[in-house]
Amino acid sequence: MNEQRPDAWPVRTPRLQIRRCTVDDLDAVWEYRRLPDVNRWLGRAPATREAFHETYSERDRLASTFVIETLAAPTELPAIIGDIMVRIEDGWAQAEVADQAKGVQAELGWVLHPAHAGNGYATEAVRAVIDTCFGALGLRRVHAGCFTVNERSWRLMERLGMRREEGSRKTGLHRSGEWLDGLNYALLAEEWPTL
């Protein structure tokens, strides 16, 4: 599996920095991930701070989590306003060429504190991460999925030019006990506009 290149991070945009999450960041991440409007869409939503720390300080999970920080004025500290998952994975391949498909794509996921929604931060951050995936990390494909009712998420994917590859009926069991429809989006490196 292709390892995350340490020199690819942090990534900066005019307003944000996306950097590796550390154990010291977990309290700030917990503050927005615990909110009902946020955790209703998450695949995993530990109910307590302790359970959250135990889950998110696990080595592989921490390695694929990147915090989104606002770039503050010189007299202020940056504030964590969200996080992005970049999970590098193998592509599907026939056995004879499987080595060539190792570490060539990434699954993306994102969370933004609701207090910072509507300012374009999520679009800016995910765009910068996709640039990094296709640039410094040299990946060939990124993909992401969401529940169909999570309109903000799939609209973000469409704003970024991701292609809807699948719409599925009642394939995801939500923690509410209801089976929900899902959407999957992807983008190839050759489809991504270069700067």
Side-chain angles (χ1 to χ4, degrees):
M1 171 107 35
N2 185 15
E3 292 298 317
Q4 295 264 0
R5 284 187 40 196
D7 60 341
W9 310 98
V11 172
R12 288 183 180 84
T13 71
R15 303 184 299 164
L16 304 171
Q17 172 174 264
I18 299 101
R19 64 167 175 80
R20 290 186 178 280
C21 185
T22 69
V23 172
D24 293 338
D25 297 322
L26 293 180
D27 281 340
V29 174
W30 163 254
E31 287 305 314
Y32 58 85
R33 278 188 167 251
R34 68 183 175 85
L35 300 172
D37 285 348
V38 173
N39 72 29
R40 71 186 288 206
W41 303 121
L42 302 177
R44 183 173 297 235
T48 66
R49 182 183 304 271
E50 293 75 24
F52 178 82
H53 271 268
E54 183 177 328
T55 298
Y56 283 84
S57 62
E58 189 270 327
R59 186 179 65 87
D60 289 340
R61 184 172 296 273
L62 199 58
S64 64
T65 303
F66 298 81
V67 293
I68 304 167
E69 293 180 314
T70 56
L71 290 175
T75 57
E76 300 174 9
L77 292 174
I80 294 174
I81 62 167
D83 61 87
I84 298 182
M85 175 193 71
V86 181
R87 183 179 300 140
I88 295 180
E89 56 192 22
D90 298 344
W92 186 88
Q94 292 177 312
E96 297 81 6
V97 290
D99 286 347
Q100 297 170 44
K102 292 195 179 297
V104 296
Q105 65 185 29
E107 178 184 5
L108 305 180
W110 47 83
V111 179
L112 188 71
H113 192 304
H116 299 280
N119 296 307
Y121 289 135
T123 303
E124 187 175 326
V126 177
R127 180 177 283 121
V129 167
I130 292 172
D131 276 341
T132 302
C133 286
F134 292 148
L137 297 178
L139 302 179
R140 61 170 297 278
R141 183 176 186 272
V142 295
H143 67 98
C146 67
F147 290 116
T148 302
V149 293
N150 187 355
E151 187 173 344
R152 284 185 175 197
S153 191
W154 62 260
R155 286 211 183 270
L156 170 60
M157 291 184 248
E158 290 182 356
R159 250 190 327 278
L160 292 169
M162 295 181 79
R163 176 186 52 266
R164 186 181 289 189
E165 293 192 327
E166 178 188 37
S168 57
R169 298 276 301 149
K170 297 188 178 191
T171 56
L173 181 59
H174 191 269
R175 66 180 55 85
S176 67
E178 184 180 1
W179 286 93
L180 298 178
D181 298 348
L183 295 171
N184 288 300
Y185 285 77
L187 189 64
L188 297 171
E190 64 248 29
E191 299 169 321
W192 186 244
T194 56
L195 299 175

